[in-house]
Amino acid sequence: MNTIGKYLLGVAALILMTNCGNNNSNSNSGAMSSSKAEKVYVAPGEHDEYYAFFSGGYSGNITVAGLPSGRMLKEIPVFSQFPTSGYGYSEETKPMLNTSFGFVPWGDAHHPDISQTNGELDGRWIFINENNTPRIARISLETFETEEIIELPNSAGNHASSFVTENTEYIVAGTRFAVPNPQRDMPISEMKGQFKGPLSFVSIADNGRMNLEFQLNMPGFNYDLAHPGRNKSHGWFFFTSYNTEEANTLMEVNASQNDKDYIAAVNWKKVVEYVKNGGGKKVAGTYAHNVYDEKTHTATSTMKEGVISINPVEVEGAVFYIPIPKSPHGCDVDPSGEYIIGSGKLSTDLSVYSFEKVLKAIENKDFVADAYGIPVLSYENTIAGVVKQPGLGPLHTEFDGKGNAYTTFFISSEVVKWKLGTWEILDRQPTFYSVGHLMIPGGNSRKPFGKYMVAMNKITKDRYLPTGPELEHSAQLYDISGDKMELLSDFPTHGEPHYAAGIRADLIKEKSKKYYELSENEHPYAAKSESEATVTRNGKEVHISMTMIRSHFSPDNIEGVKVGDKVYLHMTNLEQDFDVPHGFSIIGANTSEILVMPGQTKTIIWEPKREGVWPFYCTDFCSALHQEMQGYIRVSAANSNTPIKYTLDDE
């Protein structure tokens, strides 16, 4: 065979091999896609392995998803009115949104955290912070309803929150925006040395009830994020702070001048002991404490005054600063409690501190300076190691319980896996796009579950079908059970998730309440049977205690209401079965509908402005005869003599 023939034969063979290779590649790609789909597939009627609770950011609420499917299970209203259920509209839940500034129908929800026992997630409650009007909420994981909200006075920008200690003794709240404390009229340009950054410590009773115990009146830096010590470092809290320059304008430039900012290390057990022994002083501070009572199905709001304020300098050995590369964000503690990871957003490296070295530096008084009287520890003598050039814009770190850490990098849009102790980079995977927080179920506890990791991305762009200028944010699920991270799926998230908390479903689902016992309903206007339904007038107030059951209201014909009356419609759902809610709405009501769970009572106010006969109906499809579940209220002139009359089937 001549040279040209050999050449052509070789080319043909190469093409054949290449084509075969491409075919195999496509086949493998299909197999890989199929494998990934199988990993996230949850068959109809089957349940997800994990619950994931995503903060809603500017939605003010929490969304609940199942993992690995990414299916949205529920939105839990917390700091914002929610017309789907009537939260914040019903008379029973309006008090939950009361503050010292009045009724605030919106909030900015950031960081959920699940209650713990001995450093492990126990599934009793989930807590979440509100950034704009500083508050902390507690949500029951039995009912998936908000049970308590406490406001935090003397603070602004409650961002370093709501992280709980490993036996749910305390929850903290930082001040992201330094302010005068107490608040007063003063020139903004004089803030340096005058503004403060209080750190609030809220105790949690055995029944979950929160109490504002004290505030550490820290120097006026911006306290951004926090995590409690755990295991060997239990009893401490660690807060990142930026703007140690104490700038007040063009912050992106002026708050990034110092080469290093600080992590504040707080021995909270020492401060608690100091307070118990009479330390601190009570200062002014008005705040609302709102509590929902499951027996009466009603919330109450109590306005409180005064809080114990602590000068950190006066509690010897309790508060220290640790230098950290400039403009830090995340502050995370590994399951052993030995390593504290600080993410300097403008640093090319990731700093890892040793708790044992921190203690030794304190013992040796290895101080390099002080900040307003608070000792500053040596950076070199507290650092355990540095992860060299892992990515650009480090933000947050979580742990898999196998000695590995996972850090998000906002600018380079990736998650990087690295080894605790050796600081070796093991893997990196891109995210789409601009990742903020990440979450490993149990990743901020002593015992992470270590199977999945969720990245929460700020920019969605081309990941889903376009929906105009406004897009939902994107979450991405990774399998982290092997040596390398594997991207399994994308799913949209609601609002702007800043963080999420995850827990094994079997720790919660068997305790989930299915309905409220009607016999235990202590609402003052509950009608526990149709015979108890009433309509009563007291001046211009009319109270209607009505029942709901498939598929009628009782009463369903009401007369004697007049223009200008204030009508309280108290609805009791008589069902005693799982997943049979009833809704209620009436034309002309300046509120949302209400959704009433089985055994529950809810109330809306209706103030009729016109004469006529006005229909009401059930808003939740409850049975084959749902369309027939309706009634009428007759409204007469304000000066009429129409008597109160109410009937069901003319009885």
Side-chain angles (χ1 to χ4, degrees):
M1 185 179 290
N2 60 27
T3 304
I4 294 176
K6 291 179 180 177
Y7 173 76
L8 291 173
L9 183 62
V11 169
L14 181 62
I15 291 171
L16 181 63
M17 290 172 62
T18 302
N19 284 340
C20 288
N22 285 342
N23 287 337
N24 285 337
S25 175
N26 289 337
S27 175
N28 288 339
S29 176
M32 287 174 64
S33 296
S34 174
S35 174
K36 290 180 180 182
E38 288 173 359
K39 287 184 177 182
V40 300
Y41 178 69
V42 178
E46 294 186 2
H47 293 171
D48 279 284
E49 189 178 355
Y50 293 91
Y51 284 101
F53 299 87
F54 291 87
S55 72
Y58 43 65
S59 82
N61 299 329
I62 291 174
T63 52
V64 187
L67 296 180
S69 74
R71 297 179 299 192
M72 179 176 167
L73 306 176
K74 181 175 181 173
E75 182 169 356
I76 303 173
V78 184
F79 299 112
S80 293
Q81 287 181 300
F82 193 61
T84 301
S85 66
Y87 179 86
Y89 292 96
S90 73
E91 294 305 297
E92 289 80 6
T93 57
K94 280 182 182 177
M96 294 299 288
L97 302 182
N98 194 31
T99 76
S100 62
F101 300 94
F103 181 82
V104 178
W106 170 85
D108 184 15
H110 277 240
H111 306 122
D113 204 17
I114 297 170
S115 56
Q116 299 184 14
T117 301
N118 296 325
E120 299 179 34
L121 305 188
D122 59 29
R124 289 177 293 166
W125 309 291
I126 189 164
F127 301 86
I128 192 165
N129 60 315
E130 203 277 285
N131 190 50
N132 183 63
T133 308
R135 289 173 284 176
I136 294 174
R138 176 176 58 85
I139 296 96
S140 165
L141 291 181
E142 181 183 10
T143 61
F144 283 60
E145 301 288 348
T146 303
E147 289 190 333
E148 186 177 12
I149 297 177
I150 190 167
E151 188 181 1
L152 304 164
N154 309 323
S155 184
N158 172 30
H159 194 257
S161 185
S162 54
F163 305 106
V164 297
T165 54
E166 65 174 27
N167 282 299
T168 319
E169 305 100 326
Y170 283 89
I171 193 167
V172 298
T175 295
R176 179 178 164 197
F177 311 122
V179 289
N181 183 21
Q183 273 286 9
R184 60 193 183 277
D185 179 13
M186 64 172 290
I188 298 172
S189 60
E190 297 177 8
M191 72 166 284
K192 194 164 187 175
Q194 297 298 312
F195 283 19
K196 296 294 183 182
L199 306 179
S200 301
F201 283 74
V202 176
S203 63
I204 304 163
D206 290 342
N207 64 357
R209 190 64 57 88
M210 296 186 289
N211 181 56
L212 178 55
E213 290 268 319
F214 59 85
Q215 292 180 322
L216 271 176
N217 201 27
M218 298 286 283
F221 310 143
N222 292 18
Y223 297 88
D224 197 15
L225 273 166
H227 265 100
R230 55 181 56 93
N231 217 328
K232 66 167 64 175
S233 54
H234 176 56
W236 288 75
F237 244 105
F238 305 96
F239 301 78
T240 48
S241 65
Y242 65 99
N243 192 25
T244 51
E245 299 86 352
E246 298 178 80
N248 59 67
T249 186
L250 195 61
M251 302 283 280
E252 62 180 333
V253 175
N254 295 323
S256 303
Q257 297 300 303
N258 292 343
D259 184 53
K260 286 185 172 62
D261 289 295
Y262 296 129
I263 288 176
V266 178
N267 185 331
W268 60 263
K269 285 192 172 183
K270 264 193 177 178
V271 183
V272 168
E273 192 64 29
Y274 176 78
V275 173
K276 283 182 179 177
N277 290 329
K281 64 177 181 179
K282 194 165 188 177
V283 300
T286 304
Y287 61 101
H289 189 184
N290 311 326
V291 179
Y292 183 82
D293 186 330
E294 191 179 296
K295 296 290 187 183
T296 63
H297 304 288
T298 302
T300 55
S301 180
T302 305
M303 206 60 65
K304 296 187 174 182
E305 181 61 49
V307 60
I308 299 296
S309 180
I310 311 293
N311 181 346
V313 176
E314 294 178 359
V315 190
E316 186 177 355
V319 183
F320 303 89
Y321 282 128
I322 306 169
I324 180 174
K326 62 169 58 181
S327 298
H329 189 54
C331 185
D332 304 284
V333 181
D334 87 303
S336 74
E338 167 61 10
Y339 297 123
I340 303 120
I341 292 85
S343 299
K345 299 192 298 292
L346 302 182
S347 174
T348 56
D349 297 332
L350 199 61
S351 298
V352 184
Y353 300 86
S354 160
F355 179 67
E356 289 184 357
K357 286 189 173 183
V358 168
L359 291 184
K360 187 174 181 181
I362 292 170
E363 182 184 355
N364 294 338
K365 298 188 183 300
D366 189 2
F367 309 143
V368 295
D370 77 80
Y372 295 103
I374 296 174
V376 178
L377 303 178
S378 163
Y379 173 81
E380 291 75 13
N381 292 341
T382 54
I383 202 78
V386 174
V387 184
K388 290 289 187 180
Q389 299 184 333
L392 299 176
L395 292 183
H396 304 283
T397 301
E398 293 240 323
F399 310 91
D400 63 8
K402 306 168 193 173
N404 304 310
Y406 301 73
T407 302
T408 57
F409 292 84
F410 180 81
I411 297 173
S412 51
S413 283
E414 59 185 332
V415 177
V416 174
K417 176 182 178 181
W418 51 277
K419 189 73 176 174
L420 289 164
T422 68
W423 329 123
E424 174 191 2
I425 294 173
L426 303 175
D427 189 23
R428 61 177 71 239
Q429 287 292 326
T431 61
F432 307 95
Y433 305 92
S434 297
V435 62
H437 273 278
L438 77 166
M439 181 273 287
I440 294 171
N444 63 343
S445 71
R446 280 196 191 189
K447 290 193 176 179
F449 300 113
K451 184 174 184 179
Y452 298 114
M453 180 266 289
V454 179
M456 285 154 271
N457 306 316
K458 301 298 184 184
I459 297 174
T460 303
K461 286 188 176 179
D462 53 8
R463 301 304 288 183
Y464 313 119
L465 289 171
T467 55
E470 182 184 357
L471 305 175
E472 292 283 32
H473 287 230
S474 168
Q476 295 188 293
L477 180 71
Y478 295 78
D479 181 344
I480 59 169
S481 59
D483 292 336
K484 300 296 182 181
M485 297 177 279
E486 181 184 16
L487 175 59
L488 299 179
S489 67
D490 289 18
F491 55 92
T493 53
H494 188 54
E496 184 192 4
H498 292 267
Y499 187 45
I503 186 171
R504 272 201 344 253
D506 61 1
L507 294 174
I508 294 179
K509 68 179 185 178
E510 299 307 323
K511 299 181 288 186
S512 183
K513 184 179 282 292
K514 291 181 167 54
Y515 58 84
Y516 297 96
E517 294 287 347
L518 197 59
S519 61
E520 297 175 1
N521 186 332
E522 298 177 7
H523 192 290
Y525 288 97
K528 299 182 185 180
S529 67
E530 291 185 357
S531 63
E532 295 181 14
T534 61
V535 181
T536 58
R537 174 179 288 282
N538 181 14
K540 283 193 169 292
E541 282 190 4
V542 177
H543 288 266
I544 301 173
S545 290
M546 186 182 291
T547 63
M548 322 159 87
I549 197 167
R550 289 166 287 184
S551 296
H552 63 270
F553 296 96
S554 181
D556 63 2
N557 282 197
I558 300 166
E559 300 184 17
V561 172
K562 302 176 185 180
V563 172
D565 281 345
K566 192 171 189 177
V567 182
Y568 291 79
L569 292 148
H570 311 284
M571 304 291 154
T572 301
N573 183 343
L574 298 182
E575 308 284 359
Q576 291 289 267
D577 195 5
F578 185 34
D579 198 20
V580 192
H582 290 295
F584 178 89
S585 187
I586 185 168
I587 190 169
N590 299 118
T591 183
S592 75
E593 60 92 40
I594 53 172
L595 201 61
V596 188
M597 297 300 111
Q600 191 177 46
T601 301
K602 284 186 180 179
T603 305
I604 62 169
I605 292 176
W606 179 54
E607 298 183 77
K609 298 174 178 63
R610 306 179 197 170
E611 299 171 28
V613 178
W614 305 106
F616 57 85
Y617 67 101
C618 178
T619 56
D620 189 277
F621 205 102
C622 55
S623 72
L625 295 175
H626 165 76
Q627 299 296 81
E628 284 76 13
M629 191 166 174
Q630 66 169 73
Y632 292 99
I633 298 180
R634 174 187 172 189
V635 178
S636 303
N639 59 357
S640 72
N641 294 317
T642 307
I644 292 289
K645 178 184 177 183
Y646 53 99
T647 60
L648 171 67
D649 198 22
D650 292 328
E651 293 182 6

